[in-house]
Structures are given as C-alpha cells and as structure tokens.
Amino acid sequence: MSTMGDGTRAVRAGLPEPQQFEPTLPGPAFAAHFHLSGEPVGPYTYGRDTNPTWTHLEHAIGELEAPGEPVETTVFASGMAAVSAVLLSQARSGDVVVLPDDGYQALPLVREQLEAYGVEVRTAPTGGNAQLAVLDGAKLLWIETPSNPGLDVCDVRRLVGAAHAAGTLVAVDNTLATPLGQRPLELGADFSVASDTKGMTGHGDILLGHVTCRDPELAAGVRRWRKVVGAIPGPMEAWLAHRSLATLELRIDRQCATALTLAEALGKRGGVTGLRYPGLPTDPSYPNAVRQMRRFGSVVSFVLPDRERAERFLAELHLVDDATSFGGVRSTAERRARWGGDAVPEGFIRFSVGAESPDDLVADVERALDAALGGS
C-alpha cells in the first residue's frame, strides 16, 4: 500500500481479507475471555491483553504511520495513556528525560510523576530547536511539534540526529498533525505518539491514543506497560475509531484548507495579534513546517486585547462551540488561559477549524470579531 494515495489508504487501512458473507469491517468483539483449552498460546487469550477489534485498528494506524513498512502500533484508552506508556516504560530512576516546556497542559503532571520516581527532567521550548541545548546524557527526548497551543515547530530531523548520536531515544507527539500531516518515524523518531481523541477520529466522541514503533523491543515495552496498568480502549471505541479513519483525508484536507483561509483573514484584522498557523508563509514555524509536514493542521491561534473581548468573541460565534480539544468536524474555540498552566495571555484563543463550509465559518468569525472589537 506504500504507493497508494492518502485517501485510498485511509479507507482501506486495517481491513481483514474479504470473507464471503462477512462484513468488510468486523463488528466490535465484546469479550473479557476467549475459548482457551490447553496451553495459553495464540492471538487472543484474555481481554486485557489483546482483542481482535484492537488488532484491526492497530494495523490500520500502522499503515498510516509508515506505509509499506513493518511497524507495531499499540492503542490506548486515551492520549495521555499513550504518552505515559512511552515515558514511564522507558525511564528509570537516575535517567534524564527532556520535555518541551510549552507542550500539552498535562505534561507537567507527567513531569511530577517522573521526578517522584527519581528521573531528572529538563525542559526547553519547542521553537528554535532549544531542546538541543539540554540533551546531554538524556535517555529520552520528547518532542511535541507543532506544539499545543503555541504552534511552534522544531526541526525533527535535526533533533533526532543529535539525539541518536548521543544514544538518546526520541518520541514525537504527533497529535496536532496526524500521520497525514507528518510522519515522525520517517523523520527518524523511535516513537510516534498521538491522542486519537483529536484529528484521527475527528468527531469529538471517542477517547483514544496510540503509540507506533519500528523497533519490536521498544514496542514490546509499551505493550507490556498497557497490560500492567490496564489502560485499554473499549472494543466499541476501537471499532468507532477504525470506522472514522475512512474519512481522515476528507476531513483533514477540508480543515487544513479552511484553517489557512481563516488565518489569512485574521491577518488582515486590526485588534488581532500573535497570529500563528504553521502553514502561513509569514509564520515563524513555516520554514521548518514546510520541510517536514505535508499538511499543517486544523488549529489556528491568536490573541485578542483582553479577557473580556476574548469572552465576547466566543459568545458571539454561532458556528463554533466554546469547548476544549481540537481536530473535530465541528469547529471549536476557547480562551486557553481559563485553564491555567499555559504561558499565554488572557486573550489567547485556540481555534480548531472544523469541516463547515469555509465561507460560512470565516463570515461567522468576522462577525464575532466585529462585535467583540467594534469592527476594528
């Protein structure tokens, strides 16, 4: 399947060989145990270890992460379960782990846990490849690019090269880009990790995550961690996720195109500052993004003058849900500072572009900005 287009691959990924009178995508296997006489060998023994519905989904995600290559994918109950599985399965007391200091909001919680286990954690910003300066002696480098919510992009190849030269493993959080936007394993990373709650499943109704590795030994460590902590997805969630992958290219292409259109419109508005979108040629992230990304994501960020006007902007939107998360078919936006923990201004807006008609969505944003900023 390595020569197929993204849309064809997304539609066909992970489907079993056709069986007469059987569904093309078998329904979810609801099973805590399986028939198992004699020695416990075989693919399915107990529901915390393996499930055929997971298997189909894991094969599908693997085909998207590294078309035509042998990789192993492990699916989890959430994105944070996947993140934790990599970090906590690899790091031991006395090891050094490098994290971004501008990454996903829950990363500081993981840092606290790592430090409680005796792991030294160093941090540096995503932008400017600043993590290079703190790599010395590290066991694992964690990259998040584009970063959430600041949308900075680092040079993954350069960071991987430096890390591997020093014997450091590299994991890339690819949640915002999805494998259709960026393939971390092709860029040299050891782990590609994502919250599939976001763009991969794209409907805002499933919690899911995954880890994909080329190295079977690294994959085995991640899979063992899932077994030990029991961070397994339900079969219904896994089946729904696989079904949702079929529309991945359709969704991502619409969302990315509209995100660029929206960013261009926002760039012409007075009262809007701090505009970021990696696909804008004027964006600081663009030089790195254009070298390693095939699509630039659905998220646009910008800053309104203060909290009050940001809140009014959100309240005036008709086609956009005031909600957290991103990557869904329905546009969402939020004043990110309401959560605390992110180093952003009070008026900072993270806007996730959905699959609405572009003209309608941009018009809705323009009208809401007029109401919030007085037509500036």
Side-chain angles (χ1 to χ4, degrees):
M1 292 181 67
S2 59
T3 60
M4 289 185 178
D6 286 338
T8 304
R9 189 177 297 111
V11 168
R12 304 296 305 175
L15 297 181
E17 289 297 315
Q19 300 291 328
Q20 186 76 342
F21 308 121
E22 293 294 322
T24 54
L25 177 61
F30 296 103
H33 58 266
F34 302 84
H35 290 294
L36 188 67
S37 58
E39 293 301 312
V41 294
Y44 305 109
T45 58
Y46 185 66
R48 190 183 68 254
D49 299 339
T50 51
N51 178 291
T53 310
W54 304 348
T55 301
H56 293 313
L57 176 60
E58 288 171 344
H59 288 169
I61 293 173
E63 290 174 23
L64 297 174
E65 286 275 13
E69 297 185 34
V71 296
E72 293 189 31
T73 295
T74 305
V75 291
F76 288 87
S78 69
M80 280 308 300
V83 169
S84 299
V86 173
L87 288 164
L88 297 174
S89 71
Q90 298 304 312
R92 303 287 185 270
S93 179
D95 285 343
V96 174
V97 169
V98 176
L99 302 178
D101 66 9
D102 54 348
Y104 179 56
Q105 185 189 46
L107 272 184
L109 301 177
V110 181
R111 175 180 183 168
E112 290 175 10
Q113 193 62 59
L114 288 167
E115 291 174 337
Y117 289 154
V119 176
E120 179 186 344
V121 179
R122 303 173 189 157
T123 63
T126 299
N129 301 314
Q131 289 174 300
L132 287 170
V134 293
L135 269 182
D136 186 43
K139 171 71 179 295
L140 176 68
L141 166 64
W142 186 272
I143 296 170
E144 183 179 308
T145 181
S147 62
N148 171 32
L151 302 182
D152 275 318
V153 173
C154 60
D155 185 336
V156 176
R157 290 186 185 90
R158 183 179 173 191
L159 285 165
V160 166
H164 284 176
T168 303
L169 295 169
V170 180
V172 176
D173 184 334
N174 199 42
T175 300
L176 199 145
T178 81
L180 266 62
Q182 179 173 263
R183 294 192 182 124
L185 300 184
E186 289 184 358
L187 299 172
D190 301 288
F191 304 90
S192 180
V193 189
S195 170
D196 301 317
T197 306
K198 313 297 196 299
M200 281 285 276
T201 59
H203 292 79
D205 53 10
I206 302 169
L207 288 174
L208 201 79
H210 82 266
V211 179
T212 302
C213 308
R214 278 202 181 94
D215 185 329
E217 187 175 342
L218 294 177
V222 170
R223 198 168 289 265
R224 181 180 183 276
W225 181 264
R226 181 180 68 179
K227 178 177 180 176
V228 169
V229 301
I232 59 173
M236 191 66 192
E237 286 78 8
W239 186 86
L240 287 169
H242 196 167
R243 175 217 58 179
S244 299
L245 290 182
T247 60
L248 181 60
E249 186 195 43
L250 296 173
R251 292 185 279 106
I252 296 297
D253 278 351
R254 166 60 74 88
Q255 290 167 310
C256 291
T258 305
L260 179 58
T261 299
L262 177 62
E264 290 169 343
L266 289 168
K268 300 172 184 175
R269 294 283 315 208
V272 173
T273 60
L275 175 65
R276 298 300 303 271
Y277 182 67
L280 274 176
T282 55
D283 191 275
S285 290
Y286 185 79
N288 279 331
V290 77
R291 285 196 299 267
Q292 66 194 27
M293 299 182 73
R294 297 179 300 130
R295 296 170 175 86
F296 300 109
S298 63
V299 178
V300 178
S301 68
F302 55 96
V303 180
L304 297 181
D306 51 40
R307 174 175 179 165
E308 180 183 358
R309 278 175 279 194
E311 294 282 8
R312 184 171 181 194
F313 165 71
L314 295 170
E316 291 287 343
L317 291 165
H318 296 326
L319 302 180
V320 182
D321 295 333
D322 190 345
T324 196
S325 200
F326 57 85
V329 291
R330 289 175 291 278
S331 291
T332 61
E334 70 172 335
R335 192 181 65 82
R336 191 66 187 162
R338 65 182 176 172
W339 297 98
D342 291 317
V344 295
E346 286 293 323
F348 182 97
I349 301 292
R350 185 181 71 180
F351 195 109
S352 172
V353 174
E356 299 89 358
S357 297
D359 289 348
D360 294 337
L361 184 64
V362 172
D364 190 41
V365 170
E366 295 274 20
R367 183 195 49 74
L369 286 172
D370 287 343
L373 302 175
S376 59

